[in-house]
Amino acid sequence: MEINVKNIAFDLDFHPSNQLVAAGLITGNLFVYRYAEDSEPQRVLKVRAHGESCRAVRFINEGRVILTGSPDCSILATDIETGSPVARLENSHEKAVNRLVNLTETTVASGGDEGCIKVWDTRQQSCCNSFQVHEEYITDMTFEPDSMKLLGTSGDGTLSVCNLRSNKVQTQSEFSEDEPLSIVIMKNGRKVICGTESGTMLLYSWGFFKDCSDRFTGLSPNPVNALLKLDEERVIAGTENGLISLVGILPNRIIQPIAEHSEYPVERLAFSHDRKYLGSISHDSILKLWDIDSLLEGTGKKVEGKSAADSDDDDDDDMDMDADDVLPKSSKGTKRKSNGGAQGLDTTSDFFADL
């Protein structure tokens, strides 16, 4: 299923319960489409969200509101039914808002080009945590709810772990010349995978974030712009050459191309709420919805990838997090330079006052 969004899309997100998909465009527009298996997708909402491009899109409040972030430094909350603005925070970051991610039912996180990660509490109607941890733009973020850890990757070549309980930066990896672009949590919370600019995938063991424990080079030399967790052992990767691949990392290192979006880079991937469709966007102005069952059909035919190590053992010398910060073995995992401290509550923000 293809949707012509008329221009380059930077991000997409699916509604948490309905057959709606949103796209943020380079023009600053936000488009929302209703899709169905046996009919053409219909655009149900068009909003001129920002004066500059719309880089980040996320549904919140059980899908009643959609957030967008932009290089104009603002975050806009839009009512999904009426298309009316609910609230706008004009100076949410010092520089462009690059990423948005859902945390809990009442909190979301944003990442800016200045390297700052902020957490917004919809109940307190303000920014409740601010982590000035990176020196360059935030490339991706993911959240581990059991331990309340927010992981971020940055153009400064590092991975950070922010503890939302203590409001502190827990740890930060050593610098890597291979810029991390995407991140997912695997193996029931025991492994973290980062896709990089060179196409190498960096594997970290939970609690040992100073340096990666393994590298998987099967997608090189194509940058891994997007990663999406399929299950505890496999991810779906979107790369610079326009391919979408199924990558088995743990325990078997395999790569199986399953789709080609276009000749342009795959920028973002997302699952529909029922995991029936995989959404992908690129620079071809087409939002594609792939039937997951069809994509995975025949993936038993595997292509061996290259790995820098054959073992999945944790042989790190020193743990860089406290013992009580290690995820318990019963954890379910998610579907989905110097350490900086958390700054105080931003009482000037009333972003969610009307939510």
Side-chain angles (χ1 to χ4, degrees):
M1 192 184 307
E2 296 187 357
I3 303 173
N4 187 350
V5 297
K6 310 295 186 182
N7 224 308
I8 295 174
F10 281 151
D11 199 8
L12 81 159
D13 195 32
F14 284 90
H15 192 277
S17 58
N18 294 328
Q19 291 182 299
L20 298 173
V21 61
L25 307 186
I26 192 173
T27 58
N29 285 333
L30 166 68
F31 288 171
V32 179
Y33 295 86
R34 185 177 300 279
Y35 60 91
E37 186 173 358
D38 299 320
S39 62
E40 289 293 318
Q42 300 294 320
R43 193 174 73 193
V44 296
L45 184 65
K46 176 183 177 181
V47 175
R48 178 64 172 174
H50 300 278
E52 298 185 43
S53 61
C54 184
R55 284 193 187 176
V57 175
R58 280 298 176 274
F59 284 97
I60 64 167
N61 287 15
E62 299 179 336
R64 296 188 299 271
V65 174
I66 188 165
L67 296 184
T68 53
S70 171
D72 64 12
C73 302
S74 72
I75 298 176
L76 173 68
T78 300
D79 185 285
I80 196 65
E81 291 292 333
T82 65
S84 301
V86 176
R88 184 189 294 269
L89 181 61
E90 292 292 353
N91 296 298
S92 62
H93 283 262
E94 294 178 6
K95 295 184 179 179
V97 180
N98 200 44
R99 298 291 285 160
L100 292 168
V101 63
N102 291 316
L103 303 179
T104 68
E105 292 182 356
T106 56
T107 55
V108 296
S110 60
D113 275 8
E114 78 280 17
C116 184
I117 295 173
K118 292 188 176 184
V119 178
W120 305 90
D121 190 322
T122 61
R123 298 163 304 178
Q124 299 297 323
Q125 305 171 0
S126 65
C127 175
C128 55
N129 293 320
S130 183
F131 303 96
Q132 187 60 58
V133 56
H134 293 286
E135 297 180 354
E136 296 287 346
Y137 61 99
I138 303 301
T139 56
D140 202 5
M141 294 182 290
T142 191
F143 180 59
E144 207 304 305
D146 291 342
S147 62
M148 292 295 289
K149 302 295 195 307
L150 177 59
L151 282 66
T153 54
S154 169
D156 64 9
T158 66
L159 159 70
S160 65
V161 181
C162 299
N163 188 324
L164 301 190
R165 287 198 178 105
S166 64
N167 296 339
K168 294 180 180 179
V169 177
Q170 191 79 49
T171 189
Q172 188 172 10
S173 72
E174 295 178 355
F175 168 77
S176 170
E177 293 184 358
D178 201 0
E179 178 183 320
L181 303 176
S182 48
I183 184 170
V184 291
I185 300 172
M186 304 283 290
K187 296 293 281 187
N188 296 309
R190 299 196 305 273
K191 293 290 182 180
V192 174
I193 315 297
C194 291
T196 69
E197 193 172 32
S198 73
T200 298
M201 300 179 77
L202 306 179
L203 282 67
Y204 293 85
S205 296
W206 190 271
F208 299 87
F209 290 106
K210 288 299 182 183
D211 196 8
C212 65
S213 59
D214 201 356
R215 290 175 171 84
F216 179 49
T217 61
L219 293 172
S220 297
N222 297 293
V224 183
N225 297 326
L227 284 176
L228 197 60
K229 174 180 169 182
L230 179 64
D231 54 38
E232 298 304 329
E233 297 182 348
R234 297 178 297 171
V235 297
I236 296 175
T239 48
E240 194 83 4
N241 59 356
L243 292 181
I244 299 171
S245 301
L246 179 65
V247 183
I249 298 178
L250 305 165
N252 300 315
R253 310 303 175 85
I254 55 91
I255 297 175
Q256 177 67 57
I258 54 176
E260 183 176 8
H261 184 107
S262 69
E263 61 182 339
Y264 301 107
V266 176
E267 291 292 342
R268 295 285 185 264
L269 298 170
F271 284 129
S272 61
H273 71 93
D274 54 5
R275 292 174 70 92
K276 180 175 175 57
Y277 292 102
L278 169 70
S280 64
I281 56 170
S282 182
H283 295 174
D284 61 350
S285 304
I286 303 295
L287 192 165
K288 294 189 178 182
L289 304 183
W290 309 86
D291 183 273
I292 288 290
D293 290 339
S294 298
L295 283 184
L296 298 181
E297 185 177 359
T299 54
K301 183 179 180 182
K302 310 209 188 301
V303 179
E304 292 298 327
K306 298 174 288 182
S307 172
D310 296 325
S311 171
D312 188 35
D313 294 336
D314 299 340
D315 55 359
D316 307 77
D317 293 328
D318 294 302
M319 196 169 189
D320 54 41
M321 301 173 73
D322 294 336
D324 59 356
D325 290 320
V326 182
L327 287 180
K329 292 183 179 180
S330 60
S331 172
K332 302 295 183 183
T334 58
K335 260 186 211 180
R336 16 199 173 194
K337 264 145 144 165
S338 57
N339 293 346
Q343 299 175 0
L345 182 68
D346 184 356
T347 58
T348 64
S349 304
D350 59 351
F351 180 31
F352 296 103
D354 299 320
L355 291 187

